[in-house]
């Protein structure tokens, strides 16, 4: 059984320390790959800090994995040793319920449901452990191919941040002639600006302050708005066809809904700790839609990777070591990261 180095935390204080975990030998249809880089998603932080409920400690988070295949099972057809691959938020599902058949394995309604990459129990009865580790064994159907044009360190964040923005932008028709606003330009948001712009939409960023304006325009935004400037959302009344909010803290949904044109759509992908409310009148009076969106399935994740390769879309990353993870969490929460921390697992030492 492969033993790998990892970083774990033991309680809600989310203090990370080196550890060793055991991965299973790949079965006939499984691949084992060396994780080279793992992104830090804000969801890792919500989970590790207990903001979303119960946690299986010790916790090895990480659902933005990119690496190189080291071993394949005897019946693996889709991958070979040396291939560049990625894994996102889930590592297994039933494979034959209506949702899995549709390629939306994140909504698996079959026995056992979706098996999340960490903070879950796998079909082998062992708690899952995520990407803050040097290797993982996964069923080949839950692994994506990373195109040669995408460097592994920028591929990692695409496995969650990329698909989480690509999916609603596609579903709700971001494209030529559409005015699209991305609220919160963090890990998810900065990839969303690039994807929406590549899809041909006219993109605006709505951020706390103007500190990220130059970057936002470099990522493809043609407008940049700061919530810190009084009256910003009032000025933007009835401006957008589509708004995607990635804000990780409480936000004023009524004010954001007011920025939609008649019949416009606000998709919220952020999951703050506390419940957020809104007035039904903000929807009913103008046929507006408030929607959620949860990552994306494997076929669409592969489509997103190929789209990013074709359009030169690349998350902007800061590479850190295992010992930096604890401090990195605070910097993410304070919006100081530009724009995704990616852990280099070669820095892990016994
Ligand atoms: P992140 O890098 O921390 O970015 C969140 C951004 O939200 C920040 O950069 C900031 O943008 C804005 N923000 C943060 N606190 C704010 C506040 N108090 N008021 C206004 N704006 C604030 O986080 P992320 O990794 O992109 O994740 C964002 C959220 O999406 C998290 O809640 C995460 O759990 C969730 N998520 C959901 C899915 C899904 O499938 N639905 C997938 C992944 C993550 P500015 O600096 O531009 O203001
Ligand atoms: Zn994530």
């Amino acid at each position: 059984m492969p033993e790998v180095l990892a970083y774990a935390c033991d309680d809600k204080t989310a203090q990370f320390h080196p550890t060793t975990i055991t991965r299973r030998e790949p079965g006939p249809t499984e691949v084992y790959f060396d994780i080279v880089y793992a992104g830090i998603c804000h969801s890792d932080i919500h989970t590790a800090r207990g903001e979303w409920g119960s946690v299986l400690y010790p916790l090895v988070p990480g659902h933005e994995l990119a690496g190189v295949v080291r071993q394949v099972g005897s019946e693996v057809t889709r991958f070979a040793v040396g291939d560049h691959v990625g894994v996102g938020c889930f590592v297994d599902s039933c494979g034959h319920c209506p949702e899995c058949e549709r390629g939306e394995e994140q909504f698996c309604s079959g026995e056992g449901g979706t098996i999340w990459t960490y903070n879950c129990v796998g079909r082998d009865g062992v708690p899952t452990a995520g990407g803050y580790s040097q290797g993982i064994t996964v069923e080949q159907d839950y692994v994506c191919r990373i195109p040669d044009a995408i460097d592994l360190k920028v591929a990692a964040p695409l496995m969650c941040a990329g698909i989480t923005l690509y999916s609603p932008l596609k579903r709700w028709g971001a494209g030529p002639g559409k005015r699209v606003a991305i609220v919160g330009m963090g890990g998810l948001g900065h990839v969303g600006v690039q994807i929406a712009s590549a899809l041909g939409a006219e993109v605006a960023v709505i951020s706390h302050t103007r500190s990220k304006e130059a970057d936002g325009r470099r990522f493809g935004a043609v407008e940049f708005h700061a919530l810190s400037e009084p009256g910003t959302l009032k000025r933007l009344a009835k401006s957008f066809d589509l708004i995607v909010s990635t804000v990780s803290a409480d936000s004023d949904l009524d004010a954001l809904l007011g920025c939609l044109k008649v019949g416009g759509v606000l998709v919220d992908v952020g999951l703050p700790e506390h419940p957020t409310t809104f007035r039904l009148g903000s929807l009913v009076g103008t046929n507006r839609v408030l929607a959620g969106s949860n990552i994306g399935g494997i076929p669409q994740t592969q489509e997103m990777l190929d789209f990013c390769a074709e359009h030169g879309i690349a998350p902007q990353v800061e590479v850190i070591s295992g010992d930096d993870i604890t401090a990195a969490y605070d910097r993410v929460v304070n919006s100081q990261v530009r724009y995704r921390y990616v852990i280099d697992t070669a820095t892990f030492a016994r």
Side-chain angles (χ1 to χ4, degrees):
M1 302 272 263
E3 278 225 323
V4 297
L5 301 177
Y7 270 71
C9 68
D10 300 329
D11 57 38
K12 287 182 184 180
T13 61
Q15 303 294 305
F16 284 88
H17 59 80
T19 188
T20 303
I21 57 171
T22 304
R23 299 298 195 180
R24 58 179 182 273
E25 282 295 332
T29 53
E30 290 185 317
V31 304
Y32 175 86
F33 67 92
D34 292 317
I35 299 167
V36 183
Y37 294 104
I40 294 181
C41 177
H42 206 120
S43 301
D44 300 349
I45 303 175
H46 291 306
T47 306
R49 293 186 171 177
E51 293 171 2
W52 284 349
S54 63
V55 187
L56 295 169
Y57 296 110
L59 181 77
V60 177
H63 58 208
E64 294 185 336
L65 289 61
V68 182
V69 174
R70 181 196 281 264
Q71 204 181 329
V72 295
S74 56
E75 292 166 27
V76 168
T77 49
R78 299 182 50 225
F79 299 101
V81 172
D83 283 356
H84 285 192
V85 293
V87 159
C89 295
F90 55 89
V91 288
D92 210 348
S93 68
C94 84
H96 43 74
C97 69
E99 292 76 16
C100 287
E101 294 275 351
R102 278 205 309 269
E104 294 189 327
E105 305 88 345
Q106 75 273 35
F107 305 125
C108 175
S109 59
E111 206 185 325
T114 307
I115 306 292
W116 305 104
T117 307
Y118 62 84
N119 201 33
C120 191
V121 176
R123 287 184 201 287
D124 54 5
V126 176
T128 54
Y132 303 2
S133 62
Q134 288 185 320
I136 190 169
T137 306
V138 185
E139 271 295 326
Q140 64 171 342
D141 289 348
Y142 299 85
V143 177
C144 292
R145 179 175 303 282
I146 294 174
D148 292 341
I150 307 181
D151 192 276
L152 283 181
K153 66 168 91 60
V154 304
L158 294 176
M159 298 310 300
C160 173
I163 184 60
T164 299
L165 271 288
Y166 183 80
S167 187
L169 287 167
K170 288 286 286 191
R171 175 176 179 200
W172 296 104
K178 292 289 170 69
R179 280 176 51 75
V180 175
I182 305 289
V183 190
M185 203 175 82
L188 267 54
H190 91 290
V191 182
V193 174
Q194 296 181 60
I195 293 173
S197 160
L199 287 168
E202 196 178 307
V203 184
V205 173
I206 302 177
S207 186
H208 282 91
T209 66
R210 291 208 170 264
S211 64
K212 298 177 177 175
E213 179 163 5
D215 289 340
R217 292 188 186 275
R218 181 162 52 81
F219 297 140
V222 293
E223 285 174 31
F224 198 96
H225 306 281
L227 292 168
S228 58
E229 294 167 8
T232 293
L233 294 185
K234 271 201 178 130
R235 258 197 321 278
L236 291 172
K238 298 191 176 166
S239 292
F240 300 106
D241 298 285
L242 174 62
I243 299 175
V244 182
S245 174
T246 72
V247 175
S248 51
D250 299 343
S251 47
D252 183 347
L253 287 183
D254 291 307
L256 282 181
L257 286 165
C259 297
L260 290 172
K261 295 179 184 174
V262 171
V265 180
L266 167 61
V267 184
D268 184 277
V269 297
L271 275 168
E273 179 179 5
H274 303 293
T276 309
T277 56
F278 67 99
R279 288 185 308 109
L280 283 169
S282 302
L283 299 179
V284 175
T286 41
N287 283 17
R288 288 167 175 143
V289 177
L290 174 60
S293 193
N294 187 14
I295 48 171
I298 295 293
Q300 197 176 38
T301 304
Q302 188 63 58
E303 179 187 311
M304 174 277 307
L305 287 167
D306 297 339
F307 178 87
C308 289
E310 189 186 333
H311 293 271
I313 292 168
Q316 182 175 320
V317 302
E318 295 188 54
V319 177
I320 61 169
S321 72
D323 287 339
D324 296 331
I325 298 170
T326 303
Y329 272 31
D330 287 329
R331 291 183 58 80
V332 172
V333 171
N334 295 328
S335 300
Q336 289 166 310
V337 55
R338 297 291 184 274
Y339 281 87
R340 199 57 138 189
Y341 286 122
V342 167
I343 304 160
D344 175 358
T345 67
T347 63
F348 294 7
R350 260 177 219 282

